[in-house]
Amino acid sequence: MSHLFEKRDRWGNRFSLWIILGAIFLTPLCAWSLRHTRVENDIEHWLPENDPNSVTLRWSTENFGLDAGDSILVSWDNSSLADPRLDKLAQRLEGKLDERGVRRGGVKQVSRVVTPRDLVIRMTERGVGRDEAIQRLRGVLVGAGMYKVRLTETGRLQQKEVGRELKLRAKQELGLDLQTFPSVRDYESQDDEPVAEVAATTESSTEVKDAVAGEPVAAEVAVPVPTDVPQVEFDLIPQHDFQVRWKDMLHGNHGEAVKKLALSLRGPKTSSAPDGDALIEDCFQWLGSPVAISVQLNEAGEAEKTKTMELIREAAVAVGVPMKHLHLGGRPVAATALNEGVKAAVWDRLATKPWKKSVIGLSGIVGAIVAFTMLRSFKLSFLVLFVSYFTVFVTVSLVPITGGTMNMVMVLMPTFLLVVVMSGAIHVAHYWRHAASQNHPNPVAEAVRLAAEPCTIATVTTAIGLLSLLTSDLRPVRDFGVYSAIGSFVGLGAVLYLLPAMIQMLPFKPPKPDDVDASKWEDYGRWCARKRHWIVWSYTIFTLACCVGLQWFRTETKVIRYFPADAPLVQSYWFLEENLAGIVPVDVVVRFDQSCQSNVDFNFLDRMEIVRTLENKLREHPDISGTLALPDFRPVSEKLPSDAKFLAKAARSKSATEMERRIKDTDVAGSKSFFRVAKQAADLKRPGDALLNQPDDELWRITAQCFIMSDTNFGELVNEVNETSRSVLKTQAGASHVVTGMVPVFLQTQQALLDSQISSFGVAYLTVWVVMIFAVRHIGGGFLTMLPNVYPIGQIFGLISLFNLPVDIGTMMTASIAMGIGVDGTLHKVHWFRKGIQDGKTREDAIALAVGHSGPAIWETSAVLTLGMLMLLPSELLLISRFGWMMAAIIFVAVAGDILFTPALLGGLLGTWLMNRERPVTVTSVVPAANIPGSRSKEQTVPPAPHLLPPSVPSSKKSNR
């Protein structure tokens, strides 16, 4: 039966023309689809909707009236409670209330703005002292900043020397690396006029122009107008000469020691001062500077994060905050920066250096140059690259069509497909060159015949490895597996049909014999066969040594760790966490059931105080900067002694009943954000379990701010928060708690990443092993053919674990890539080894044939991709930069295993098993009768050559003896 590339249609055209026209037809459709590509990097959406952490987070958000969008912390260098820019910025973002209590102006993407001044006023309104209110907001919206140093008159005369001496003594005596910074003072407004009102309405009064963006917002947004708000004055920052800080300062470590050391510094001894004059008058922190405002986004803000960030920055600059002093933090900020980093890797419009304009584009250019150098043919190199990039183009266009989104994991899919498709394309190109150099009548058809089986099996095994990622709980990992598996089959079609079609339709000169000379590779294959024992055992021992490092294997899912230390986002996060508050929230929701509420000896005030006790315990945790809950808005209510008089008990009971009524019936001091009575039951794991709450349960929310820039172990943190909550609530029957927020989500994501790494690899190994058994038709042979694909994974992940490098969600994917490369090379070698045995070659010659045919293709693929991946190294986004060098490393190791370890295995037990499975070719020849007219010819079977028999079976000649 003739091959497709040997046929013509009814009009005399080759079928290659129709294949090329089909690709041309797909191009505009794919381009149209790519225009609708969306980038989304919210870790909260990575877990499945039925995951307990996701369910609990949604339940908490819905119960406490929190908006769909996250909040953003906004602060600046010299901010303080006395800073007039706080209220001005809040008014620009949130708008202003008119006489009817209707919001006018503001930014439409902002739901509400909370300032520390607002909270202090609310607390003082309820009887909390001003200083106590500020203290309760510490580590949430109010910070103490760096340690401020006030010099004496003597010290001011030698301020630089004092700073150097303090740093030197701190290093010698305390082991601290102190950093010095200029002093700060309260902002002096250059324009004391209030922010202009913007209330221009349309004729129908249904729209209001945005005060910042000039875009319409809803006119009727009801916001209660506060009445009788007490005026609170805030102290200015005390005078000081400079500031100092050190690592982990916000954790409260070494503060008193540094202060004691600073006050001990003395000048030169004099007659009037035998011990020397004091150089430092005081060393202190000032609670109330810096401060931050919390900007809550709505659904529009969540959908337009980048635009919202720009509007917030514009509003801050408009009220007098210099852009270089502004600091933003929170999940929307990190997600936006991550999206921008991914886009900048494709094209960075702000980069000044040409090689940083597009690291992905530079990777493709370098790959093209190397491919041309290796293949020594511009046209052939162009076709190989075109087929590879066309596969990526088609596959990525499937993402928006099917409703998917690109993210930090999916952005790695194009590179993976480039690796797999380019490897197969270069193999096919080499098959064509060999067939053309031997003057085959149809070298394209011959190349496809030879490549079809190994390429198809390699694609199937690669797809199986990718589909094993469906075992992961992380949505981006599953999406990567599905789309990459689809792309692998798209690439198979491109390699076996589109590439040969273009080769057939373009004029090519047959390559010269010298261009396809593989004698050196064949000699290398023979050397591997002779040194097989040394190679196998050395390579195995090296792999086992690397695997020792896996005991330190760890994962990392903190998005902030994907940025370099000098990135603006990282600098802002360090400012916020070292001076003000932790950025990642963890919430404890305390639940009091009906039995607890009906207990007359445990009234509403008692329940409030037990929540306060738990909150104060959480504040003591070193990884929590501060907490906020409903009890913070009320004075402490002391529990009456058991022998208290009846009237005192009655008065307290009446006060508790009145407070309960007011809080449950109205939103007193914004209580709905921290307290709610459940209206219906909420399930956690299965319908009807009501594990989260029963109807009419009281739910009290404590929100705590945790550090993300430190090396905090979120697993230990969640466990300790749970243990603290249990220890406080265990004394009261009917009280329970739930821990939720982004910290448990981070933790679950990290655990899911580790689980998916193990489970997907196990599933992939077993299923690919089955395919390998089918390919080589031997169980033991299938196991041995997997070793060259597994060893590189153990080597690379063992080494990076040994050097204490965490595995992030991007580097995890390199395991699938290593298996894809290894399987492809191994199958091509096994295919040619079997063909050599069938053709009557010796084992050594069959190995030489296998290495000679597949070695150059593997080497060229690795050179193109390794150098191309290294071009990702300059990327500002560490996720992409780290993926680039990890890819280069794992490609190098995988190729080393393929061209070194696989030939050695074929020279040993694997080759023996394959030879036993191959039946020697029976050659039927026609032997005419010796010059006897009319005699019939006889069929004679030529016995196999002795070297084709298994080593344990004696040859025919020996048997006859």
Side-chain angles (χ1 to χ4, degrees):
M1 183 176 179
S2 59
H3 195 274
L4 174 67
F5 291 103
E6 296 173 337
K7 297 179 180 179
R8 294 180 180 270
D9 60 17
R10 65 177 65 181
W11 300 283
N13 299 313
R14 294 183 181 274
F15 279 98
S16 298
L17 176 63
W18 292 104
I19 295 174
I20 294 173
L21 291 176
I24 295 173
F25 174 77
L26 284 176
T27 300
L29 298 177
C30 296
W32 172 84
S33 175
L34 287 176
R35 295 179 58 188
H36 299 84
T37 303
R38 294 183 297 115
V39 180
E40 195 264 308
N41 280 301
D42 289 335
I43 291 182
E44 177 188 348
H45 301 150
W46 287 10
L47 294 172
E49 292 186 358
N50 60 351
D51 179 84
N53 286 291
S54 298
V55 172
T56 306
L57 185 60
R58 287 197 305 273
W59 165 78
S60 176
T61 301
E62 293 167 0
N63 267 286
F64 294 104
L66 303 177
D67 292 308
D70 268 328
S71 60
I72 299 172
L73 281 179
V74 181
S75 182
W76 49 92
D77 286 353
N78 62 335
S79 59
S80 69
L81 284 170
D83 194 334
R85 293 173 292 182
L86 285 175
D87 294 332
K88 290 183 178 181
L89 179 57
Q91 182 176 323
R92 276 189 171 268
L93 295 176
E94 191 175 24
K96 191 175 181 180
L97 302 179
D98 62 13
E99 63 280 358
R100 295 182 300 166
V102 177
R103 172 179 167 179
R104 301 291 181 180
V107 176
K108 74 171 186 177
Q109 291 87 352
V110 172
S111 170
R112 60 176 177 169
V113 178
V114 178
T115 73
R117 294 160 63 100
D118 294 336
L119 297 182
V120 171
I121 290 173
R122 289 182 187 179
M123 292 178 185
T124 55
E125 186 182 20
R126 299 297 166 188
V128 180
R130 186 202 66 169
D131 293 343
E132 175 63 22
I134 295 174
Q135 183 64 38
R136 292 180 182 182
L137 292 176
R138 180 171 186 164
V140 180
L141 292 180
V142 176
M146 304 180 222
Y147 272 77
K148 294 164 177 58
V149 178
R150 182 164 61 238
L151 300 174
T152 62
E153 291 297 330
T154 304
R156 289 193 184 95
L157 297 176
Q158 44 186 330
Q159 180 171 333
K160 291 184 179 179
E161 290 77 4
V162 173
R164 284 196 295 265
E165 179 68 15
L166 182 58
K167 291 167 67 175
L168 179 62
R169 292 275 300 276
K171 181 66 175 178
Q172 293 175 345
E173 300 178 21
L174 303 177
L176 297 178
D177 292 318
L178 260 62
Q179 296 175 287
T180 59
F181 296 87
S183 62
V184 294
R185 62 175 183 172
D186 282 282
Y187 172 74
E188 296 180 3
S189 176
Q190 303 300 318
D191 181 10
D192 292 328
E193 295 187 14
V195 179
E197 294 184 24
V198 179
T201 61
T202 61
E203 293 181 1
S204 61
S205 299
T206 58
E207 293 184 341
V208 180
K209 291 296 181 181
D210 189 323
V212 177
E215 295 187 7
V217 297
E220 301 297 328
V221 182
V223 180
V225 181
T227 59
D228 300 327
V229 178
Q231 297 298 314
V232 180
E233 295 185 357
F234 299 96
D235 298 332
L236 300 179
I237 303 173
Q239 183 272 332
H240 57 283
D241 297 280
F242 64 91
Q243 303 178 96
V244 296
R245 76 175 182 193
W246 57 92
K247 188 178 180 181
D248 295 333
M249 184 187 71
L250 195 56
H251 288 85
N253 298 328
H254 307 291
E256 290 299 320
V258 170
K259 180 176 181 178
K260 182 178 179 181
L261 174 63
L263 296 177
S264 69
L265 295 184
R266 292 290 186 272
K269 297 179 180 180
T270 62
S271 56
S272 59
D275 294 331
D277 292 328
L279 299 176
I280 295 179
E281 179 182 332
D282 198 4
C283 181
F284 60 92
Q285 283 184 293
W286 179 252
L287 185 60
S289 176
V291 294
I293 66 173
S294 176
V295 181
Q296 183 78 32
L297 305 185
N298 52 29
E299 291 184 358
E302 187 74 9
E304 302 174 326
K305 295 187 185 71
T306 302
K307 183 178 181 180
T308 305
M309 300 300 111
E310 294 176 356
L311 294 176
I312 291 175
R313 292 186 177 98
E314 290 175 6
V317 171
V319 300
V321 178
M323 183 68 76
K324 63 180 181 180
H325 293 168
L326 186 64
H327 304 288
L328 274 63
R331 191 171 64 89
V333 182
T336 300
L338 190 58
N339 292 346
E340 294 301 316
V342 171
K343 294 176 182 177
V346 179
W347 182 257
D348 188 357
R349 56 186 177 84
L350 300 178
T352 56
K353 298 178 180 178
W355 57 88
K356 285 193 173 184
K357 276 291 183 183
S358 174
V359 292
I360 292 180
L362 181 63
S363 174
I365 293 172
V366 171
I369 295 173
V370 178
F372 172 73
T373 304
M374 291 293 176
L375 292 174
R376 296 181 296 277
S377 170
F378 177 80
K379 284 195 292 186
L380 194 57
S381 302
F382 172 79
L383 295 183
V384 167
L385 291 170
F386 174 81
V387 166
S388 304
Y389 281 102
F390 184 77
T391 299
V392 172
F393 175 67
V394 172
T395 306
V396 174
S397 69
L398 294 175
V399 176
I401 288 178
T402 54
T405 59
M406 297 298 290
N407 49 58
M408 68 177 77
V409 181
M410 287 291 290
V411 77
L412 306 177
M413 179 186 68
T415 304
F416 169 77
L417 291 178
L418 199 65
V419 170
V420 174
V421 178
M422 190 176 292
S423 177
I426 291 180
H427 275 294
V428 172
H430 272 278
Y431 290 166
W432 172 81
R433 293 175 67 190
H434 277 281
S437 67
Q438 297 173 2
N439 296 319
H440 194 281
N442 194 326
V444 170
E446 179 65 13
V448 174
R449 284 194 189 96
L450 294 173
E453 180 183 346
C455 286
T456 301
I457 297 177
T459 300
V460 171
T461 52
T462 300
I464 289 173
L466 291 166
L467 292 176
S468 68
L469 296 175
L470 290 174
T471 59
S472 174
D473 288 334
L474 300 182
R475 186 174 301 168
V477 176
R478 297 199 307 271
D479 289 347
F480 177 91
V482 171
Y483 286 111
S484 296
I486 294 173
S488 298
F489 285 105
V490 173
L492 177 65
V495 165
L496 293 183
Y497 293 98
L498 182 58
L499 177 62
M502 291 191 296
I503 292 176
Q504 192 173 56
M505 295 302 295
L506 291 176
F508 272 97
K509 292 182 180 179
K512 299 177 182 179
D514 293 341
D515 294 337
V516 294
D517 181 22
S519 58
K520 293 182 179 179
W521 282 99
E522 292 174 356
D523 293 340
Y524 169 76
R526 293 186 178 91
W527 178 85
C528 290
R530 292 193 296 269
K531 302 295 183 181
R532 58 186 179 275
H533 297 298
W534 285 101
I535 294 173
V536 169
W537 287 111
S538 299
Y539 197 71
T540 301
I541 292 172
F542 172 73
T543 302
L544 294 176
C546 292
C547 289
V548 172
L550 290 174
Q551 60 183 312
W552 295 288
F553 181 89
R554 63 189 180 95
T555 57
E556 177 62 78
T557 56
K558 294 180 181 178
V559 173
I560 194 66
R561 298 295 176 87
Y562 299 155
F563 298 90
D566 58 348
L569 176 67
V570 176
Q571 295 299 313
S572 291
Y573 268 51
W574 274 120
F575 173 85
L576 292 171
E577 293 210 341
E578 288 185 334
N579 296 281
L580 203 152
I583 295 176
V584 183
V586 59
D587 289 352
V588 178
V589 179
V590 179
R591 166 189 172 189
F592 296 113
D593 63 15
Q594 286 292 302
S595 65
C596 189
Q597 298 176 51
S598 60
N599 186 349
V600 295
D601 295 326
F602 193 64
N603 59 36
F604 191 83
L605 285 178
D606 295 328
R607 298 196 292 273
M608 178 178 289
E609 291 310 312
I610 198 172
V611 172
R612 190 194 306 274
T613 301
L614 173 56
E615 183 188 6
N616 291 335
K617 287 282 187 181
L618 294 176
R619 278 197 183 107
E620 298 172 1
H621 196 287
D623 292 320
I624 293 177
S625 65
T627 62
L628 193 65
L630 182 60
D632 289 322
F633 296 87
R634 303 290 304 185
V636 176
S637 177
E638 299 293 343
K639 188 174 179 63
L640 294 177
S642 57
D643 58 349
K645 295 181 179 181
F646 173 78
L647 291 178
K649 291 182 178 179
R652 191 173 190 278
S653 177
K654 181 179 179 181
S655 176
T657 303
E658 178 63 20
M659 182 181 296
E660 182 176 5
R661 183 191 64 78
R662 290 184 61 202
I663 290 179
K664 289 184 176 180
D665 292 345
T666 61
D667 185 17
V668 177
S671 61
K672 289 184 179 179
S673 298
F674 299 100
F675 175 85
R676 186 60 63 94
V677 177
K679 295 181 179 179
Q680 57 187 9
D683 306 322
L684 178 61
K685 296 180 179 179
R686 61 181 183 275
D689 62 15
L691 291 178
L692 290 175
N693 69 260
Q694 294 279 1
D696 299 324
D697 285 349
E698 283 184 359
L699 305 176
W700 300 66
R701 171 174 167 259
I702 304 173
T703 182
Q705 297 301 121
C706 306
F707 300 108
I708 194 173
M709 299 302 293
S710 65
D711 295 327
T712 301
N713 186 312
F714 282 162
E716 295 178 1
L717 173 61
V718 171
N719 290 336
E720 290 167 0
V721 169
N722 268 313
E723 185 59 34
T724 300
S725 303
R726 278 193 291 266
S727 66
V728 173
L729 300 175
K730 66 181 180 182
T731 58
Q732 183 58 47
S736 59
H737 77 282
V738 172
V739 178
T740 184
M742 286 308 299
V743 169
V745 170
F746 274 128
L747 178 62
Q748 181 60 28
T749 303
Q750 190 170 2
Q751 185 60 45
L753 180 63
L754 178 60
D755 292 343
S756 64
Q757 175 82 337
I758 297 172
S759 61
S760 65
F761 180 75
V763 172
Y765 180 83
L766 292 176
T767 51
V768 173
W769 181 25
V770 173
V771 176
M772 285 294 198
I773 292 173
F774 171 78
V776 301
R777 301 177 181 85
H778 193 280
I779 296 178
F783 172 77
L784 290 180
T785 52
M786 288 299 297
L787 294 183
N789 312 317
V790 176
Y791 277 15
I793 299 173
Q795 292 166 5
I796 287 296
F797 284 93
L799 286 174
I800 64 174
S801 301
L802 188 64
F803 286 99
N804 201 33
L805 298 175
V807 174
D808 59 39
I809 200 163
T811 54
M812 188 197 79
M813 299 302 167
T814 56
S816 299
I817 295 172
M819 185 170 290
I821 296 173
V823 165
D824 186 68
T826 301
L827 285 172
H828 280 282
K829 283 183 176 58
V830 169
H831 171 78
W832 283 101
F833 176 81
R834 291 168 55 193
K835 189 175 187 305
I837 295 299
Q838 292 172 356
D839 290 344
K841 295 181 180 293
T842 64
R843 182 202 296 244
E844 193 171 293
D845 288 341
I847 294 173
L849 177 68
V851 174
H853 269 278
S854 63
I858 290 293
W859 159 247
E860 290 165 6
T861 302
S862 65
V864 171
L865 295 171
T866 300
L867 292 176
M869 290 301 101
L870 285 177
M871 294 303 103
L872 299 178
L873 201 58
S875 174
E876 295 293 332
L877 191 60
L878 292 183
L879 177 76
I880 295 176
S881 175
R882 193 182 296 141
F883 177 76
W885 69 258
M886 269 287 290
M887 273 287 297
I890 207 160
I891 289 172
F892 174 80
V893 173
V895 169
D898 185 66
I899 64 177
L900 179 69
F901 191 50
T902 305
L905 289 177
L906 290 173
L909 190 59
L910 176 60
T912 300
W913 283 342
L914 291 177
M915 291 172 64
N916 289 341
R917 296 297 303 173
E918 295 301 328
R919 293 292 179 259
V921 178
T922 300
V923 181
T924 303
S925 60
V926 179
V927 183
N931 299 323
I932 301 176
S935 63
R936 299 177 62 185
S937 300
K938 297 182 179 179
E939 292 184 350
Q940 177 178 325
T941 302
V942 180
H947 65 265
L948 293 179
L949 296 176
S952 58
V953 181
S955 66
S956 302
K957 184 180 289 187
K958 291 182 179 180
S959 298
N960 291 335
R961 289 180 183 177

